[in-house]
Amino acid sequence: MFSNEGVVDTQAALDNLSCGDSYVRSVCFSPCGKYLVAGAEDKTVKIWDIAGRKLRHTLQGHNKDIYSVDYSADGKYVVSGSGDKRAKLWDVNKGECVRTFGDDDGPKDGVTSVAFSPDGRYMAAGSLDRVVRLWDTASGKLVEKYDGHTDSVYSVSFSPDGKYLASGSLDKTLKLWDLTLIGNRNVNKCRHTFNGHKDFVLSVVFAPQGNWLISGSKDRSVQFWDPKNLASGAAAQTEEGPVLILQGHQNSVISVAPPSLEGSSPPVLGTRGQGFGSTRPRGAEGPKGQRAEGPKGRGARMWRNQASRGGGAERPKRQTLEDRRAGCSASPVRVRGAEELMSQGLATG
């Protein structure tokens, strides 16, 4: 379950963090939880020391708004994606750009989402040009281009084992890309296309153990997908759709965050793989000049499983998920064997 332990001490520090008058597009905590990185419309990436309540670095080099940021698992590097069609790799200790990803061959439009692979070997980027690109972080070499979406890609996320990459797009689909096939030019690297959302897919993220792929959409729903059988090469069952659908938000779901692994920090909103709009105020300009549909003051929600889990109890045919923010509840549209799915909760925004 969620815990507020350790949150109160840092709240005052977070209240003092500011990007001035610039809209903050994306935020991410360092793996150790001591630092916060933010990308903003002022074209800079800022890194704060939370406990010290001070700005550690202001990273400059992009020519347009920063849409996405991510921390490497070892905490040594930050990657940023921008409307200037480039992604940049920053050395956190030195506060310097060590590599720029992208050239005249692409991306052809703004970089909306960036993510490090779990081992830090690769960096993935989604773009408005509909392509997902994969770079080697050490050499800066483009190793793969995943072309299959029919509209802009707004979010990317690596599976915890680093074998797969998920992408979410304005074409209303998610795609699962097989990274074990890197370098093989003769096979289709798209393992599966997930259909189920009725509008733009704005955020995708894998659960910490890789057993679920979670997506947020402009259709106001959060959907859970089972990637395990697909990843193992089992036949796709496209007619089944998502395993679980959460409904209750009154506007677009632009950020999703699963519960963290036991012993790690509590889940936070908008930390990684959320695409351009993870912390965008309502009315802010997004990629393609679109107006973001902010939460209208309705804020974030935390969901937890309220189904009976007593020994020997019959599995409920329909579970109820409680909105922990205000005590209201919503029921999943479809549930198939997901009694353990929400046992630790889910944060959405």
Side-chain angles (χ1 to χ4, degrees):
M1 275 301 174
F2 291 106
S3 170
N4 288 325
E5 183 179 356
V7 174
V8 176
D9 291 342
T10 61
Q11 186 60 53
L14 290 172
D15 289 342
N16 283 280
L17 304 183
S18 173
C19 279
D21 294 330
S22 297
Y23 290 135
V24 175
R25 308 297 198 191
S26 181
V27 295
C28 180
F29 284 98
S30 64
C32 66
K34 295 181 180 179
Y35 304 104
L36 177 71
V37 60
E41 69 164 1
D42 65 0
K43 310 173 188 177
T44 68
V45 176
K46 290 181 169 61
I47 301 177
W48 284 280
D49 179 331
I50 298 174
R53 305 187 186 186
K54 61 183 180 181
L55 182 64
R56 185 180 183 188
H57 293 300
T58 296
L59 309 176
Q60 297 178 317
H62 283 292
N63 297 319
K64 289 189 177 181
D65 299 17
I66 311 299
Y67 292 145
S68 181
V69 293
D70 192 24
Y71 246 106
S72 62
D74 60 11
K76 295 180 179 180
Y77 298 97
V78 164
V79 66
S80 57
S82 168
D84 64 9
K85 310 177 187 179
R86 299 291 183 265
K88 289 183 178 290
L89 183 69
W90 308 88
D91 185 306
V92 173
N93 291 326
K94 296 179 180 179
E96 299 176 351
C97 178
V98 296
R99 186 159 287 109
T100 297
F101 303 97
D103 52 33
D104 292 340
D105 292 330
K108 301 294 186 182
D109 211 332
V111 175
T112 55
S113 180
V114 292
F116 280 108
S117 62
D119 61 4
R121 180 179 179 183
Y122 298 115
M123 191 280 294
S127 172
L128 294 175
D129 67 6
R130 309 178 183 182
V131 178
V132 178
R133 291 174 173 82
L134 191 71
W135 282 277
D136 184 293
T137 55
S139 67
K141 179 183 177 181
L142 179 66
V143 294
E144 285 290 352
K145 289 173 60 177
Y146 300 114
D147 193 350
H149 284 291
T150 59
D151 207 336
S152 301
V153 178
Y154 264 33
S155 186
V156 292
S157 177
F158 284 92
S159 62
D161 61 9
K163 294 182 179 179
Y164 301 94
L165 178 69
S167 57
S169 168
L170 299 192
D171 65 11
K172 307 177 187 178
T173 72
L174 294 79
K175 288 183 179 293
L176 187 68
W177 307 95
D178 191 339
L179 302 184
T180 66
L181 300 175
I182 289 176
N184 191 331
R185 304 297 178 183
N186 301 317
V187 296
N188 181 7
K189 300 179 181 65
C190 180
R191 176 68 70 180
H192 187 63
T193 297
F194 299 92
N195 295 282
H197 281 294
K198 298 178 180 179
D199 212 325
F200 302 158
V201 177
L202 302 175
S203 181
V204 296
V205 66
F206 278 93
Q209 294 179 340
N211 51 342
W212 302 108
L213 179 60
I214 310 167
S215 57
S217 169
K218 189 181 177 182
D219 65 13
R220 308 178 185 182
S221 75
V222 177
Q223 298 191 10
F224 285 70
W225 312 84
D226 183 355
K228 296 189 296 296
N229 290 335
L230 298 173
S232 65
Q237 297 177 323
T238 56
E239 73 280 358
E240 290 198 359
V243 173
L244 177 67
I245 301 176
L246 302 184
Q247 294 179 322
H249 283 287
Q250 299 181 38
N251 213 319
S252 303
V253 180
I254 56 178
S255 179
V256 290
S260 54
L261 291 172
E262 184 178 356
S264 60
S265 58
V268 289
L269 296 175
T271 56
R272 58 185 302 165
Q274 316 317 354
F276 84 90
S278 57
T279 55
R280 180 186 307 281
R282 180 172 177 79
E285 289 286 351
K288 302 181 81 171
Q290 297 176 2
R291 306 292 289 184
E293 297 188 17
K296 291 185 177 179
R298 295 180 178 91
R301 294 187 172 192
M302 287 188 180
W303 305 84
R304 65 178 177 183
N305 190 4
Q306 294 299 298
S308 171
R309 299 177 64 192
E314 181 181 357
R315 178 189 302 173
K317 295 182 179 180
R318 191 173 183 85
Q319 296 171 330
T320 296
L321 303 178
E322 178 189 356
D323 176 353
R324 298 186 64 194
R325 182 194 58 157
C328 47
S329 63
S331 296
V333 176
R334 304 171 67 185
V335 177
R336 291 188 300 276
E339 66 272 11
E340 298 293 331
L341 185 61
M342 300 298 295
S343 62
Q344 293 185 348
L346 171 74
T348 62

